[in-house]
Amino acid sequence: MNKEWPIWEIFIRSKNGLEHRHAGSLHAADAEMAIQNARDVYTRRQEGVSLWVVESKHITASNPEKNGELFEPAADKVYRHPTFYTLPDEIKHM
Amino acid sequence: MDNKTRDLEVEFQARIDSGENIEAKDWMPEKYRKTHIRQISQHAHSEVIGMLPEGNWITRAPSLRRKVALLAKVQDEAGHGLYLYSAAETLGISRDQLMEQLNSGKAKYSSIFNYPTVTWADIGAVGWLVDGAAIINQVMLTKTSYGPYARAMVRICKEESFHQRQGYEIMLTLCNGTEVQKAMAQDALNRWWWPSMMMFGPRDEDSPNTEQSMKWKIKKKTNDELRQQFVDQTVPQAEILGLTVPDPDLKWNEKTGHYDFGELDWEEFWNVVKGNGLCNKKRLADRNKAWDEGAWVREAATVHAEKKANRRLNKAV
Ligand SMILES: [Fe+2]
Ligand SMILES: [Fe+2]
């Protein structure tokens, strides 16, 4: 029998108050082992206070070839940004 | 090449030229993919094989302080191998294939690890010189164009700096010790200097891939530029130790603002690359032994995970 352990994506919260961020990936037989391995591989220097592990096959990624239709429509919508609106100089905090 | 591929390649090069990173799912030329699989996996194999010459000294470290440091360093190198294997896997090669390439001897790894660590001073010299040379290369690679590789490098560079410092501290302690200890440090420098210089690879004129690698921003500096950087940075460190770099042609060049240095023994370089170094066979044999003896652990973990999953399923029914 020779079966490769599945790949897991590892997310780390570096401290409470911050979001989990993708750190990298690793192989493990199951979720428990993925947590153990993630601890050894990615948090040897107090990099985290919480870990998420997700088997890579469960992540659906957007297709880069569709980047145009997905993300370009936002490019010409400057009115969604505060700098689009002109105010008199006297107004300080707005 | 058809027109569509040509257009894609032009677009790809434009992205690289504008400083964009390439990510795993982006279109890339087949050669870019292949070159990266080869380079990243060689790099990963080097981290993994690199544990062997140092692991050799963990049980014989002269104090607990030295032992925990060396243990932590070797553990880091295992981590570096893992980060890099993961980066290579984003390009469509499996971990088992990568392991097979290493264990069968098909894949290359850095020749430096085919030299033996015969005294404790070698652990100092390896940390100082070998990690020092690796850091120069790796700092450059944090800016490499392939995103997963660049991110692995950032993580690795953060961890590397203690490696070099712990090595240098070992050298410093020996150099401030007895005559015998200082001689041991000098002997280690004598044996590790030239192999460390060789870590940057062949001379630029003998390195046919450099041009393409620079164009794709895989590398941002040539082998000779990196080697010069290593010499300029390391020679003053040797002076502080009171050791002599074993190169009679080494001297400061006022005009260039760099050290001039002697020619490397390229015959030895190619000989070790071809597999005839002092430890090539032993390293591969040790690697295969570890892989084979770990087989039952990998299998048992798989079966155990399946059993647990089934048990959860049965409970749910
Ligand atoms: Fe490393
Ligand atoms: Fe290192």
Side-chain angles (χ1 to χ4, degrees):
Chain A
M1 188 193 67
N2 186 8
K3 213 160 99 196
E4 201 175 273
W5 293 342
I7 302 185
W8 300 75
E9 300 301 324
I10 311 303
F11 299 82
I12 302 175
R13 184 202 296 287
S14 56
K15 61 176 189 183
N16 277 3
L18 294 178
E19 67 279 64
H20 284 77
R21 278 184 69 178
H22 186 239
S25 50
L26 49 75
H27 288 261
D30 60 11
E32 240 180 285
M33 189 197 242
I35 296 249
Q36 294 248 322
N37 287 356
R39 168 199 172 268
D40 289 343
V41 177
Y42 291 107
T43 63
R44 292 196 302 285
R45 291 180 175 78
Q46 297 178 292
E47 288 93 339
V49 295
S50 162
L51 289 166
W52 286 351
V53 300
V54 185
E55 208 180 321
S56 306
K57 69 174 185 202
H58 295 310
I59 291 182
T60 309
S62 63
N63 179 351
E65 278 166 34
K66 298 250 166 75
N67 273 10
E69 55 190 91
L70 280 175
F71 306 118
E72 269 165 31
D76 59 1
K77 294 177 178 59
V78 277
Y79 48 86
R80 285 177 179 163
H81 299 274
T83 44
F84 180 70
Y85 303 91
T86 24
L87 297 181
D89 288 346
E90 300 93 271
I91 306 278
K92 285 286 183 271
H93 304 287
M94 189 183 282
Chain B
M1 199 190 302
D2 58 72
N3 280 342
K4 183 163 186 267
T5 317
R6 194 168 306 129
D7 288 350
L8 285 168
E9 286 207 357
V10 170
E11 201 186 307
F12 178 83
Q13 188 61 50
R15 290 183 61 194
I16 300 241
D17 292 341
S18 73
E20 243 186 88
N21 280 114
I22 305 303
E23 294 294 343
K25 290 196 158 50
D26 294 347
W27 185 88
M28 60 185 82
E30 241 348 85
K31 200 170 161 226
Y32 181 88
R33 179 186 302 276
K34 288 220 175 85
T35 305
H36 268 93
I37 291 181
R38 200 189 54 234
Q39 186 177 324
I40 300 173
S41 61
Q42 279 180 10
H43 196 159
H45 299 327
S46 303
E47 302 283 353
V48 168
I49 295 286
M51 288 190 279
L52 298 171
E54 290 185 294
N56 176 39
W57 277 92
I58 291 173
T59 55
R60 293 174 287 156
S63 69
L64 188 57
R65 184 175 187 277
R66 296 288 183 220
K67 189 174 189 158
V68 291
L70 184 57
L71 199 55
K73 176 187 193 293
V74 172
Q75 193 187 8
D76 275 354
E77 307 300 5
H80 298 173
L82 288 175
Y83 306 154
L84 288 162
Y85 282 132
S86 296
E89 286 172 80
T90 61
L91 292 163
I93 188 165
S94 74
R95 180 71 63 89
D96 278 352
Q97 279 173 296
L98 291 163
M99 285 291 109
E100 196 276 327
Q101 290 178 354
L102 173 63
N103 292 345
S104 67
K106 234 183 290 162
K108 295 260 175 280
Y109 54 84
S110 179
S111 280
I112 192 76
F113 302 117
N114 289 318
Y115 290 84
T117 42
V118 292
T119 74
W120 171 249
D122 288 13
I123 298 304
V126 166
W128 172 36
L129 301 171
V130 176
D131 286 80
I135 290 168
I136 287 178
N137 192 39
Q138 292 176 155
V139 166
M140 168 189 75
L141 287 171
T142 59
K143 302 265 160 37
T144 192
S145 61
Y146 187 55
Y149 193 23
R151 289 192 289 277
M153 280 301 127
V154 170
R155 200 172 280 281
I156 286 175
C157 283
K158 270 190 210 150
E159 301 181 353
E160 281 293 348
S161 54
F162 114 74
H163 297 183
Q164 195 186 16
R165 291 173 71 119
Q166 67 92 35
Y168 193 76
E169 200 194 77
I170 291 173
M171 295 301 270
L172 200 62
T173 308
L174 289 170
C175 290
N176 291 328
T178 64
E179 276 308 304
V180 178
Q181 287 170 325
K182 187 163 184 191
M184 200 161 102
Q186 180 65 54
D187 168 64
L189 173 58
N190 292 348
R191 282 178 294 107
W192 288 94
W193 175 255
W194 292 108
S196 301
M197 293 279 280
M198 291 177 193
M199 285 175 70
F200 300 98
R203 275 180 306 216
D204 290 349
E205 62 262 38
D206 300 322
S207 172
N209 298 327
T210 296
E211 201 191 321
Q212 182 65 71
S213 292
M214 301 280 277
K215 203 171 145 220
W216 276 336
K217 296 192 183 163
I218 302 175
K219 299 180 68 144
K220 306 202 106 181
K221 290 177 183 170
T222 70
N223 295 354
D224 286 336
E225 285 170 337
L226 293 168
R227 189 161 19 242
Q228 184 69 57
Q229 194 182 330
F230 175 73
V231 175
D232 291 346
Q233 149 186 328
T234 311
V235 171
Q237 296 168 354
E239 278 164 13
I240 291 172
L241 293 173
L243 296 178
T244 311
V245 173
D247 178 357
D249 296 321
L250 185 78
K251 64 169 187 294
W252 178 250
N253 185 327
E254 203 64 62
K255 242 186 274 158
T256 60
H258 296 289
Y259 283 93
D260 292 336
F261 53 90
E263 195 56 60
L264 282 69
D265 182 349
W266 295 109
E267 207 181 304
E268 176 182 323
F269 174 85
W270 290 112
N271 203 27
V272 184
V273 170
K274 282 181 195 129
N276 304 317
L278 283 168
C279 302
N280 295 55
K281 294 198 177 61
K282 173 155 176 47
R283 298 294 183 238
L284 263 196
D286 287 350
R287 194 43 237 161
N288 274 284
K289 182 166 176 272
W291 179 254
D292 293 342
E293 289 179 354
W296 73 269
V297 181
R298 295 191 296 276
E299 284 172 25
T302 305
V303 175
H304 184 62
E306 278 166 8
K307 195 178 76 183
K308 271 195 301 182
N310 284 335
R311 207 180 286 151
R312 262 197 302 276
L313 221 68
N314 289 339
K315 247 191 218 152
V317 172

